[in-house]
C-alpha cells in the first residue's frame, strides 16, 4: 500500500507535532502513527527540512531488561486493542516508563497492531492569514529565519517547515537563510557503521544522510558497501 504524500497540510501538521529542538525516535514513531505513515518517511521528511533527528541506531540502547520486555509483550498481546500507549505506560512497571518510551519499544517489537488508537486531535491552523502575509513580506525583504521566528513568535523549525510549504505553493521564491548554522562535525560518521555489509540506503538511514550523499562519501574515500563500489568509481573518476 502506497504511503500518503506530504501535502502542505500534512507538512504543517508534522512540524507542529514535533515542535522545536532535536526530534527523538519516540517522537518520530508517534508522528508516524498520528499521520498514518512510516517512521522512515517521517524521519526523511524532517531531515529534508533541516530538523535534527535522532538516528535509529542511537535509540537502540537497551532501556528495558529482558524480563521487562517479555512482561510488556505479554501485557500488550493479552490486552490487545484495550489500551493506548499512554494507558499502557501508566499500567506497566508502576508508570516508570514514559508513553513515548513504551511506544518506541512496542514499535521495535512490531506489536503496534495491539495498541488502541488514541483519539484524533483536531488540527488547528498554525499560521493565521495575517501571519502568512507577514511571513511572505519578510522573506521578500531578505529577512533571516531567526528574524521571522522572532517577529511571529514561532520556533525556527516551524519557520523552516512553513517556508517549505510556501515555496511549493509558489508564494515565495526561495527558503530564507539562517543566521546561525551548526558547524560541521569532525567526528567520522562512518566510524561505527559496518559499511561492507550494508547497502547504500541502509547506511544513509543509519547516519542521517541522503543516498546521493552516501555514494559521494564512499567514492571520495574509496570504500565499498554491499551494493556500491566507491573504490571502482574513484578509480574511474
Amino acid at each position: 500500500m502506497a504511503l500518503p504524500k506530504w501535502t502542505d497540510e500534512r507538512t504543517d501538521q508534522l512540524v507542529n507535532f514535533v515542535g522545536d529542538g532535536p526530534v527523538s525516535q519516540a517522537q518520530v514513531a508517534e508522528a508516524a502513527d498520528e499521520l498514518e505513515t512510516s517512521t522512515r518517511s517521517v524521519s526523511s521528511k524532517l531531515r529534508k527540512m533541516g530538523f535534527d533527528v535522532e538516528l535509529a541506531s542511537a535509540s537502540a540502547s537497551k532501556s528495558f531488561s529482558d524480563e521487562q520486555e517479555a512482561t510488556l509483550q505479554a501485557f500488550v498481546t493479552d490486552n490487545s486493542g484495550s489500551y493506548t500507549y499512554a494507558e499502557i505506560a501508566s499500567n506497566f512497571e508502576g508508570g516508570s516508563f514514559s508513553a513515548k518510551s513504551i511506544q518506541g519499544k512496542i514499535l521495535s517489537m512490531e506489536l503496534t497492531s495491539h495498541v488502541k488508537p488514541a483519539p484524533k486531535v483536531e488540527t488547528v491552523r498554525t499560521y493565521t492569514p495575517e501571519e502568512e502575509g507577514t511571513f511572505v513580506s519578510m522573506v521578500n525583504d531578505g529577512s533571516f529565519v531567526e528574524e521571522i521566528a522572532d517577529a511571529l513568535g514561532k520556533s525556527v523549525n516551524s519557520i523552516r517547515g512553513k517556508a517549505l510549504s510556501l515555496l511549493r505553493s509558489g508564494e515565495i521564491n526561495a527558503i530564507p537563510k539562517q543566521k546561525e548554522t551548526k558547524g560541521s562535525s569532525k567526528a567520522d560518521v562512518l566510524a561505527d557503521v559496518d559499511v561492507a555489509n550494508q547497502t547504500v540506503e541502509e547506511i544513509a538511514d543509519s547516519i542521517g544522510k541522503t543516498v546521493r550523499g552516501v555514494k559521494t562519501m564512499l567514492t571520495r574515500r574509496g570504500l565499498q558497501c554491499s551494493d556500491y563500489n566507491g573504490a571502482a568509481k574513484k578509480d574511474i573518476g
Side-chain angles (χ1 to χ4, degrees), residues 73-85:
Q73 182 173 7
F75 180 85
V76 171
T77 54
D78 289 347
N79 296 280
S80 183
S82 299
Y83 298 103
T84 63
Y85 290 112

Side-chain angles (χ1 to χ4, degrees), residues 49-206:
M49 291 192 293
F51 282 75
D52 182 9
V53 182
E54 179 187 25
L55 297 177
S57 58
S59 66
S61 55
K62 197 171 183 64
S63 58
F64 289 76
S65 67
D66 292 337
E67 183 180 355
Q68 287 173 327
E69 182 174 335
T71 301
L72 178 61
Q73 182 173 7
F75 180 85
V76 171
T77 54
D78 289 347
N79 296 280
S80 183
S82 299
Y83 298 103
T84 63
Y85 290 112
E87 291 167 341
I88 293 172
S90 66
N91 283 281
F92 180 72
E93 293 288 316
S96 57
F97 290 93
S98 69
K100 289 184 178 180
S101 180
I102 290 291
Q103 184 172 13
K105 189 60 181 176
I106 290 176
L107 180 69
S108 70
M109 294 192 294
E110 300 183 350
L111 297 175
T112 55
S113 61
H114 294 284
V115 180
K116 177 183 176 181
K120 294 292 182 181
V121 179
E122 185 177 348
T123 304
V124 296
R125 188 184 181 101
T126 54
Y127 286 81
T128 65
E130 292 76 16
E131 287 175 330
E132 288 187 1
T134 300
F135 194 119
V136 172
S137 178
M138 292 187 72
V139 171
N140 291 337
D141 289 340
S143 298
F144 289 103
V145 168
E146 293 88 345
E147 294 170 339
I148 301 172
D150 288 341
L152 299 179
K154 306 285 186 180
S155 69
V156 167
N157 281 340
S158 176
I159 295 298
R160 285 200 301 249
K162 187 61 178 177
L164 189 63
S165 296
L166 292 174
L167 179 66
R168 282 204 301 264
S169 65
E171 295 181 66
I172 59 176
N173 296 319
I175 299 291
K177 294 181 179 180
Q178 195 167 333
K179 277 184 179 179
E180 299 178 6
T181 57
K182 296 179 180 179
S184 57
S185 174
K186 295 181 180 180
D188 184 359
V189 294
L190 296 178
D192 298 321
V193 178
D194 185 9
V195 174
N197 295 313
Q198 291 191 25
T199 65
V200 169
E201 187 173 351
E202 289 171 338
I203 296 172
D205 186 55
S206 67

